[in-house]
């Protein structure tokens, strides 16, 4: 390796080396390739899940429509339904007196001698407390349900209280228990559907809402769930029915219809509906919703496009050579770095099932003190996605990337990729992808022809949502396999990796994320074992954590810390530890 200049070795060791898919998470530095139908971590540019072409603003419309419906939730009506009539109360008292070991509430709990330590107030008192102080009602009902776990009315009241404070995840659990313990009524099914929409589970919500009461609000809820499931043709007739059954909700229903028409790429009809709905709206909150829906959001249809620009700036202690590799061979070398990036995409063709997306990315890594390690990469690609049904999606793509380090070392990569995505439930989905790329290095060292060749990469990832535990909670374990066939050295390098990523959203604007993993890679290549009589083996651990905050509709700021520990059996050159702290600013276009 003595004939390699710093820029050459930087290229060989660069985290950008041999990009295989446009959506690689560059931050983790050892080649984790996420699900192929996502732009998740690429500079944190797209806040919402979804491929280029759906666009972050399409997701924003869906969120807006969901909030329009959830504003109609009626916890007071649900609580009132849990209060028994006088006849119901007398039956409760008789049952408590004749059934050993049971503790049930009554209209007059003083008459029930069985409630000694855990005295249960009247349901009516709890409903009144809920209307006055929902959090106090939750505290009281948590104790009462623990003492009376078989009392469905208490679970129903607890669900109503949690809906009052918009704790939808907890409301789902309470209302399921209410149904399990004798409260299987249309009004409870309606409330459970509302809560499931609140935790973004439209499929399960639709099942519950279809068992709800025959009301206009229920039709509005079903339509909202269908819009989230992209079944717009089914949603629009339900909105017409909702308007007839609940004329008092006409302005709100009109807003939901306008959003659905925009998502269906029926822009002229959407504008007409927005104009009609504005004339009906009377409160400022509803008018603001119309303003947000009226923005020029792109759709998945032909001609939609978007872009994003970001700047990461921070400190990197860079390569701290490990003392067990080469004691005293080099000091720690710290540096400040800047990572500007620009991304864009456009939908060449799009309908409800198929999208053809073109995309491009330019990004760099610039060092304040070590210009020999500066990097600039340009990536262009074309991608086709097709939804087989509500659960299955297939994808394929081609692309090319050109990378430069300090103007005198280059790599040109072409690639083809295929993927399969399967959503089993509202909380679980699986993705598998395969990418084949050819790399051509251009620099004046003997390593050039030895590193040219094919690179195979396969990734299996699973994503699990835990919205009932916390809003936006998600875990994504993954496994990756790679194999490299170099041309000049006729070598076959290979490796594997595992990891786990997680994310949680305490609020609509704030996202917390963390992840980590391990990768091992074996090099059967003479160019990387000069002067050594054994193969090179690298073992890498990495971890990262950070926060993102959407300050405005178009700007997101963040802070990220990453740690990397690379241990190689080649002394000095390839073993190091690295700590990186980056502040991020992301600007999103239309």
């Amino acid at each position: 390796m003595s004939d390699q200049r710093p820029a050459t070795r930087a290229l060989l060791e660069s985290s950008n080396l041999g990009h295989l898919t446009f959506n690689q998470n560059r931050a983790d530095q050892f080649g984790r390739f996420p699900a192929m139908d996502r732009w998740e971590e690429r500079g944190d540019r797209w806040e919402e899940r979804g491929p280029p072409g759906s666009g972050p603003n399409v997701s924003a419309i869906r969120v807006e429509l969901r909030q329009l419906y959830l504003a109609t939730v009626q916890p007071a009506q649900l609580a009132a339904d849990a209060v028994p009539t006088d006849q119901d109360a007398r039956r409760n008292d008789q049952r408590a007196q004749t059934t050993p070991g049971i503790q049930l509430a009554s209209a007059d709990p003083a008459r029930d001698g069985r409630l000694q330590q855990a005295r249960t107030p009247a349901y009516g008192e709890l409903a009144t407390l809920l209307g006055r102080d929902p959090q106090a009602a939750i505290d009281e009902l948590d104790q009462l349900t623990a003492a009376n776990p078989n009392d469905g009315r208490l679970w129903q009241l607890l669900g109503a209280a949690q809906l009052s404070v918009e704790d939808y995840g907890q409301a789902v659990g309470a209302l399921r228990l209410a149904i399990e313990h004798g409260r299987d009524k249309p009004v409870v099914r309606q409330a459970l559907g509302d809560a499931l929409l609140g935790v973004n589970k439209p499929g399960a919500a639709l099942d519950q809402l279809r068992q709800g009461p025959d009301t206009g609000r229920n039709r509005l809820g079903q339509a909202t769930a269908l819009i989230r499931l992209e079944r717009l043709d089914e949603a629009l007739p339900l909105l017409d029915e909702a308007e007839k059954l609940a004329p008092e909700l006409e302005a709100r229903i009109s807003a939901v219809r306008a959003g659905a028409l925009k998502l269906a790429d029926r822009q002229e009809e959407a504008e007409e509906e927005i104009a009609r709905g504005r004339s009906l709206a009377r409160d400022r909150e509803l008018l603001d919703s119309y303003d947000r829906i009226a923005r020029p959001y792109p759709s998945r249809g032909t001609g939609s496009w978007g872009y994003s620009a970001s700047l990461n700036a921070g400190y990197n202690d860079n390569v701290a050579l490990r003392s067990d590799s080469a004691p005293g061979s080099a000091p720690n070398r710290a540096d400040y770095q800047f990572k500007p990036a620009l991304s864009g995409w456009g939908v060449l063709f799009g309908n409800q099932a198929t999208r053809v997306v073109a995309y491009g990315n330019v990004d760099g890594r610039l060092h304040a003190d070590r210009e020999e390690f500066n990097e600039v990469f340009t990536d262009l690609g074309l991608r086709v996605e097709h939804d087989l049904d509500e659960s299955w999606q297939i994808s394929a793509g081609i692309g090319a990337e050109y990378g430069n380090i300090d103007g005198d070392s280059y790599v040109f990569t072409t690639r083809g990729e295929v993927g399969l995505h399967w959503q089993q439930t509202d909380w679980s989905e699986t993705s598998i992808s395969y990418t084949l790329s050819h790399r051509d290095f251009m620099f004046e060292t003997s390593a050039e022809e030895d590193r040219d060749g094919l690179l195979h990469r396969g990734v299996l990832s699973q994503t699990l949502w835990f919205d009932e535990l916390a809003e936006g909670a998600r875990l994504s374990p993954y496994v990756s396999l790679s194999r490299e066939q170099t041309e000049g050295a006729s070598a076959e390098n290979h490796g594997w990796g595992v990891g786990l990523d997680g994310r949680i959203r305490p609020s609509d604007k704030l996202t917390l994320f963390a992840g980590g993993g391990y990768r091992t890679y074996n090099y059967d290549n003479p160019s990387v074992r000069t002067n050594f009589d054994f193969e090179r083996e690298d073992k890498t651990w990495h971890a990262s954590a950070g926060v993102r905050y959407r300050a405005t509709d178009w700007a997101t700021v963040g802070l990220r810390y990453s740690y990397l520990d690379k241990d190689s059996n080649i002394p000095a050159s390839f073993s190091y530890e690295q700590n990186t702290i980056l502040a991020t600013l992301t600007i999103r276009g239309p």
Side-chain angles (χ1 to χ4, degrees), residues 11 88 102-103 109 113 122 129 211 229 246 254 293 315 442 527 551 559:
L11 182 60
D88 291 331
I102 194 168
Q103 293 182 331
L129 177 62
Q211 302 176 63
L229 293 169
S254 180
I293 293 171
Y315 171 81
M442 293 161 278
S527 70
L559 186 66

Side-chain angles (χ1 to χ4, degrees), residues 571-582:
S573 298
F574 300 107
S575 291
Y576 58 88
E577 295 176 358
Q578 188 177 74
N579 294 276
T580 304
I581 299 176
L582 291 175

Side-chain angles (χ1 to χ4, degrees), residues 382-421:
L382 188 68
R383 179 180 183 78
V384 180
E385 300 169 338
H386 178 70
D387 299 327
L388 299 175
D389 55 31
E390 294 180 9
S391 300
W392 292 89
Q393 181 191 80
I394 56 175
S395 61
I398 56 174
E401 183 175 62
Y402 180 77
N404 167 263
I405 292 183
D406 196 29
D408 59 3
S409 297
Y410 310 90
V411 59
F412 181 69
T413 304
T414 55
R415 66 178 178 273
E417 56 190 20
V418 294
L420 179 65
H421 179 75

Side-chain angles (χ1 to χ4, degrees), residues 341-512:
L342 179 65
S343 300
W345 56 264
V347 179
L348 305 182
F349 171 81
N351 57 30
Q352 288 298 311
T354 305
R355 292 165 297 283
V356 180
V357 182
Y359 59 86
N361 309 287
V362 179
D363 59 274
R365 182 174 301 176
L366 309 177
H367 297 266
D369 299 324
R370 301 173 59 201
E371 295 181 359
E372 72 273 17
F373 286 93
N374 289 348
E375 306 172 2
V376 178
F377 280 79
T378 302
D379 184 21
L380 298 173
L382 188 68
R383 179 180 183 78
V384 180
E385 300 169 338
H386 178 70
D387 299 327
L388 299 175
D389 55 31
E390 294 180 9
S391 300
W392 292 89
Q393 181 191 80
I394 56 175
S395 61
I398 56 174
E401 183 175 62
Y402 180 77
N404 167 263
I405 292 183
D406 196 29
D408 59 3
S409 297
Y410 310 90
V411 59
F412 181 69
T413 304
T414 55
R415 66 178 178 273
E417 56 190 20
V418 294
L420 179 65
H421 179 75
W422 175 36
Q423 182 167 339
Q424 301 96 332
T425 67
D426 288 328
W427 54 269
S428 176
E429 62 185 32
T430 303
S431 293
I432 185 169
S433 63
Y434 168 74
T435 305
L436 174 64
S437 65
H438 181 272
R439 301 181 302 184
D440 184 13
F441 291 92
M442 293 161 278
F443 41 75
E444 297 177 359
T445 73
S446 61
E448 176 180 346
E449 63 179 14
D450 292 339
R451 294 304 300 249
D452 292 351
L454 295 175
L455 187 58
H456 305 260
R457 168 76 71 167
V459 176
L460 173 65
S461 64
Q462 181 74 29
T463 301
L464 304 170
W465 280 269
F466 299 94
D467 292 304
E468 293 185 12
L469 298 178
E471 182 71 20
R474 187 191 71 199
L475 287 177
S476 299
Y478 61 88
V479 178
S480 65
L481 299 173
S482 55
R483 181 168 172 258
E484 180 183 8
Q485 296 172 287
T486 60
E487 296 171 355
S490 300
E492 292 191 1
N493 309 325
H494 56 89
W496 59 271
V498 295
L500 178 67
D501 290 340
R503 188 187 75 178
I504 187 172
R505 280 186 172 171
S507 70
D508 288 341
K509 294 187 175 182
L510 183 65
T511 301
L512 307 177

Side-chain angles (χ1 to χ4, degrees), residues 249-317:
L249 295 176
E250 184 180 9
R252 190 170 299 271
I253 294 168
S254 180
V256 175
R257 183 185 291 110
L261 290 168
K262 293 209 71 163
L263 292 173
D265 204 23
R266 294 160 60 175
Q267 302 300 327
E268 292 185 4
E269 294 175 75
E271 292 174 5
E272 292 176 1
E273 191 66 27
I274 289 170
R276 185 180 81 89
R278 284 185 190 277
S279 66
L280 298 171
R282 294 293 178 263
D283 61 90
R284 182 69 258 175
E285 181 183 355
L286 195 52
L287 287 170
D288 288 343
S289 289
Y290 274 104
D291 289 341
R292 287 189 286 269
I293 293 171
R295 291 173 185 170
Y297 293 128
S299 71
R300 302 184 114 180
T302 303
S304 62
W305 60 279
Y307 69 86
S308 172
S310 69
L311 175 64
N312 296 351
Y315 171 81
N316 187 335
D317 66 2

Side-chain angles (χ1 to χ4, degrees), residues 1-17 318-321 329-331 333 370 372-373 375 405-406 408-410 441 443-445 447 451 523 527-528 532 536 566 570-576:
M1 301 294 290
S2 58
D3 62 337
Q4 293 183 7
R5 291 170 296 178
T8 300
R9 196 170 78 185
L11 182 60
L12 296 177
E13 287 299 291
S14 168
S15 61
N16 289 315
L17 181 61
N318 208 14
V319 181
L321 296 180
S329 61
R333 294 176 289 180
R370 301 173 59 201
E372 72 273 17
F373 286 93
E375 306 172 2
I405 292 183
D406 196 29
D408 59 3
S409 297
Y410 310 90
F441 291 92
F443 41 75
E444 297 177 359
T445 73
R451 294 304 300 249
Y523 295 84
S527 70
V528 296
F532 301 102
R536 172 182 162 193
K566 186 172 183 180
I570 302 294
S573 298
F574 300 107
S575 291
Y576 58 88

